[in-house]
Amino acid sequence: MTPAARILSPPVEIGLTAAIVAVRDDEPLILTTRTEGADAVASLPSGPFDPIRHRTFEIGLREWVAEQTGAPLGYVEQLYTFGDRGRHARAGDRDPHVVSVGYLALTRIGDETQRPAEGAWRSWHDFFPWEDWRKGRPEIIETTIAPGLRGWVEEAPNAVSSAGLSRRQRVDLLFGAQGRGFNEENVLERYELLYEAGLLEEALRDGREAAARRGKLAPLGVPMRHDHRRILATAMGRLRAKMKYRPVIFELMPPAFTLTELQRTVEAIAGRHLHKQNFRRLVETSAIVEPTGEMLLKTGGRPAALFHFRRNVLQERPSPGLRVGIRS
């Protein structure tokens, strides 16, 4: 690289961004903050990594989350590094290019006294309304997404992706068209398809040609700052996949719970309705929970047995998760 090229290169800043997930009242929630000013939009808690203050990325992340929200974090895992050009750059922009290290974090929330000091818990379906299939195929797919994608396919019917799939094949695969099953793990792939097709406000904001050709866009979920919605999509897909082979779902459960509460929490994360008897059979054969010997009386019906996570399962086998399948 020539000295002139080095001078023209913008500086790089490492950011730390957290998708913090909880479940309350059978709804998957994400902790959000809000930027200041006229262009205020929902954001994930985030801040720059300071190698002087922060010995590790995770220490820096926990510090920023505590400072911005006051929320305690339980389980934390690194997701991915997001650094594509155009994430939030403008023509002639000389601000540092932010390379963001994304994290998935899980926590429990109870009553209203456990609100974060700043920010707000919001349903992740506010941002991804097409991901909730618990009551059947979401209406927004038929009313807004399918027509928009149909036009995008017709613009270049012979175009293929790097995986060798046509636009039509990708749409059918990701949105369950023509009787195909809906794979709940492909959250990021669906988001990126909608972004590529120019159907999301982030694509218009980033100056993508497909979005510019469309002009004013019909709302497709709540947009987020920078590429925070892409980070959230990555976190959702990771959690949906991981709960099938690791017991991370219990990071979202109280110490004691009924099997109905466990099923509803799994359904909230998966965005799927699960057959009650099949789910209970799955839980029994997995031996991942055990009864506490106590009963929950306030159920509105018959008392229900209380269970807790059986931690010994972690030593007994390498992949102790709830292997909920993908239904058509």
Side-chain angles (χ1 to χ4, degrees):
M1 183 181 292
T2 66
R6 281 196 292 269
I7 292 172
L8 291 174
S9 298
V12 173
E13 179 181 284
I14 297 176
L16 305 169
T17 305
I20 305 170
V21 179
V23 176
R24 182 172 58 194
D25 298 330
D26 304 335
E27 193 62 29
L29 304 176
I30 191 77
L31 185 56
T32 64
T33 59
R34 195 165 181 84
T35 55
E36 301 295 332
D39 58 346
V41 292
S43 306
L44 298 175
S46 61
F49 172 68
D50 184 338
I52 305 300
R53 291 169 53 197
H54 307 141
R55 183 170 57 84
T56 67
F57 284 172
E58 185 174 324
I59 288 173
L61 179 85
R62 289 180 180 273
E63 183 176 304
W64 280 116
V65 169
E67 180 179 314
Q68 293 177 7
T69 72
L73 295 185
Y75 175 90
V76 174
E77 74 165 91
Q78 191 175 127
L79 285 171
Y80 191 73
T81 300
F82 302 83
D84 294 351
R85 289 185 61 193
R87 293 173 69 244
H88 49 90
R90 298 176 299 278
D93 188 4
R94 303 306 302 164
D95 291 338
H97 177 73
V98 178
V99 175
S100 184
V101 182
Y103 283 81
L104 165 66
L106 307 180
T107 190
R108 301 183 180 103
I109 54 176
D111 57 32
E112 291 301 308
T113 64
Q114 292 178 278
R115 287 182 174 178
E118 298 290 340
W121 291 103
R122 296 187 63 171
S123 170
W124 74 23
H125 296 131
D126 290 350
F127 308 98
F128 294 89
W130 56 87
E131 291 293 338
D132 188 3
W133 285 60
R134 287 175 292 177
K135 295 181 180 179
R137 185 176 173 87
E139 183 180 357
I140 195 170
I141 294 180
E142 301 303 331
T143 60
T144 307
I145 292 175
L149 289 177
R150 193 178 305 120
W152 177 70
V153 169
E154 291 170 354
E155 288 174 1
N158 298 321
V160 295
S161 68
S162 57
L165 297 176
S166 69
R167 289 185 174 186
R168 169 54 59 197
Q169 289 171 321
R170 293 169 65 196
V171 170
D172 290 350
L173 179 66
L174 293 172
F175 282 95
Q178 299 178 355
R180 290 178 181 268
F182 184 83
N183 187 331
E184 67 269 20
E185 296 178 21
N186 291 338
V187 186
L188 177 61
E189 290 82 355
R190 279 186 286 276
Y191 175 80
E192 291 185 331
L193 179 68
L194 294 172
Y195 182 93
E196 183 182 342
L199 297 175
L200 299 176
E201 187 169 320
E202 286 90 337
L204 183 63
R205 186 183 64 204
D206 293 348
R208 302 305 181 189
E209 290 185 9
R213 289 196 300 269
R214 295 180 184 279
K216 185 173 176 58
L217 300 173
L220 270 184
V222 176
M224 300 187 85
R225 182 176 182 239
H226 300 339
D227 59 354
H228 286 195
R229 199 156 43 149
R230 184 170 184 255
I231 295 173
L232 176 54
T234 307
M236 290 168 63
R238 175 74 63 85
L239 181 55
R240 285 177 169 184
K242 193 154 194 173
M243 72 177 180
K244 298 176 183 179
Y245 63 89
R246 298 298 296 170
V248 291
I249 195 69
F250 297 101
E251 300 289 339
L252 302 170
M253 301 297 300
F257 48 83
T258 68
L259 293 184
T260 296
E261 290 170 337
L262 177 59
Q263 178 177 340
R264 287 177 176 169
T265 301
V266 172
E267 289 176 334
I269 296 300
R272 293 275 186 191
H273 172 72
L274 302 172
H275 188 274
K276 182 176 180 179
Q277 275 65 45
N278 289 348
F279 179 80
R280 297 200 171 203
R281 188 158 42 246
L282 173 68
V283 172
E284 290 172 2
T285 57
S286 70
I288 202 168
V289 302
E290 60 186 1
T292 65
E294 299 179 348
M295 305 290 287
L296 179 66
L297 302 178
K298 297 179 180 179
T299 64
R302 296 174 58 185
L306 287 168
F307 292 79
H308 60 215
F309 171 51
R310 193 171 70 84
R311 294 196 174 274
N312 287 346
V313 76
L314 295 170
Q315 283 76 50
E316 295 170 358
R317 58 181 188 271
S319 301
L322 290 172
R323 298 179 181 276
V324 290
I326 301 166
R327 64 173 177 81
S328 297

